[in-house]
Amino acid sequence: MDPHLLRTFLAVADTGSFSAAAQRLQYTQSAVSQHIATLEADLGTPLFTRRPVTPTPAGERLRRHAALILVRLEAARADVTRALAPPGRLVLGLTPLAWAAPVAAALATIRAESALLRTHLKVAARDRIVDAVATGEYDLGLVDGFAAPSDPLRLPDGGPRAIGVAESPAVLAVPAGHPLRGRKRVDLTDLTDAYWIDAPEVAPFARLPVDGLRAGLRYDGGDTAVLAGLVAAGHGLAVLPAPLVAAHDGLTGVPLARLVHRVELLSLRDEEGPAARLRELLSAAT
């Protein structure tokens, strides 16, 4: 099966529309229809019903395989590219809140061991990093999130392996004069009437383990200093790692019940060179 046809198939399945898939892929709608017809002829079965556009049972089966096939093709391409790349290169993807002391110490160690090491740090959203590590675009990834103590982050099944590398208390970040600042501990379930800041690129609102919270402001950037400044100015509350809140003069951190901030390292099973050394150092630090 042609990978281009599989990409078109997934675009139609994801959008539920031939025209929307054409816009996503920057094809004409007739080209999308031709791709699907060619794929259906190759497999000898319809893959979509047309009104509405939904996958048939055969289409659902193909959908489960297609994404994995394309990921493996990208991984093969990236692996060949890595083999041709100059030695001493490390591409590390990280979410804005994933930078932690063990990470800084491990990078300092491998840079001291290899004076010619070229390190590229790429800040991105968590889902983007998971995909980039799975395909080999990034050598390693560092992602963060909030979870119950000692629980792993909820990451996609079948993706890169993950190991915990840092854990710190999660706190409710409030302005210095906020009425909650003197509390010894709060529970998120008691804060459904509060105004929150939704910051999908830094501290995703939707991933907090409680329903019913409402956002008063949305911040689409990835700068942690901006998010901290918004909280300090009274625009809403946020859940943040305790060390970040302690470092900001305008914020107070109120301890949260049954919640920690966790950083995990994402990797494949065949790293070499600096990536393997960084994984080794971070694994030993946990």
Side-chain angles (χ1 to χ4, degrees):
M1 286 179 283
D2 188 328
H4 296 294
L5 302 184
L6 290 179
R7 289 189 181 92
T8 302
F9 166 78
L10 284 177
V12 175
D14 290 345
T15 62
S17 164
F18 280 59
S19 59
Q23 290 179 352
R24 173 186 289 189
L25 298 171
Q26 297 185 340
Y27 294 161
T28 64
Q29 186 170 338
S30 62
V32 169
S33 297
Q34 184 177 1
H35 284 188
I36 297 303
T38 300
L39 193 56
E40 289 178 330
D42 181 24
L43 294 173
T45 184
L47 297 173
F48 293 102
T49 60
R50 274 9 186 214
R51 293 185 180 178
V53 176
T54 56
T56 62
E60 287 292 356
R61 285 176 176 266
L62 179 61
R63 189 177 190 176
R64 291 197 293 269
H65 293 287
L68 293 176
I69 291 170
L70 293 176
V71 165
R72 294 310 303 165
L73 286 173
E74 290 297 327
R77 180 187 296 275
D79 194 41
V80 172
T81 301
R82 278 203 303 270
L84 299 175
R89 185 208 71 166
L90 175 64
V91 180
L92 176 64
L94 66 159
T95 50
L97 292 178
W99 187 257
V103 179
L107 277 176
T109 297
I110 63 172
R111 287 181 62 82
E113 294 172 349
S114 176
L116 298 180
L117 176 65
R118 292 182 298 168
T119 306
H120 192 171
L121 302 180
K122 295 190 175 186
V123 178
R126 192 164 92 179
D127 291 345
R128 163 71 176 134
I129 292 173
V130 171
D131 290 343
V133 173
T135 62
E137 180 183 351
Y138 295 172
D139 297 313
L140 296 170
L142 285 164
V143 297
D144 78 287
F146 298 97
S150 300
D151 277 1
L153 299 179
R154 294 182 179 178
L155 299 174
D157 293 334
R161 62 176 172 176
I163 59 169
V165 298
E167 194 171 283
S168 61
V171 297
L172 177 70
V174 300
H178 195 275
L180 291 175
R181 67 189 180 112
R183 295 277 293 273
K184 292 183 178 180
R185 188 173 298 273
V186 294
D187 195 310
L188 287 177
T189 56
D190 296 330
L191 300 171
T192 53
D193 291 331
Y195 262 36
W196 291 79
I197 297 176
D198 183 10
E201 298 297 322
V202 184
F205 188 78
R207 290 188 177 135
L208 291 176
V210 63
D211 296 324
L213 305 181
R214 55 177 180 164
L217 181 148
R218 180 182 172 104
Y219 169 56
D220 283 323
D223 192 325
T224 58
V226 171
L227 176 57
L230 289 170
V231 177
H235 291 290
L237 308 179
V239 174
L240 295 172
L244 174 64
V245 174
H248 197 288
D249 290 338
L251 293 182
T252 297
V254 184
L256 285 167
R258 303 181 299 279
L259 199 65
V260 297
H261 178 251
R262 183 174 171 85
V263 178
E264 294 185 356
L265 177 73
L266 305 182
S267 68
L268 298 177
R269 299 186 179 275
D270 55 355
E271 300 94 352
E272 300 175 351
R277 178 62 172 147
L278 181 60
R279 175 172 52 79
E280 176 189 350
L281 290 169
L282 290 176
S283 299
T286 58

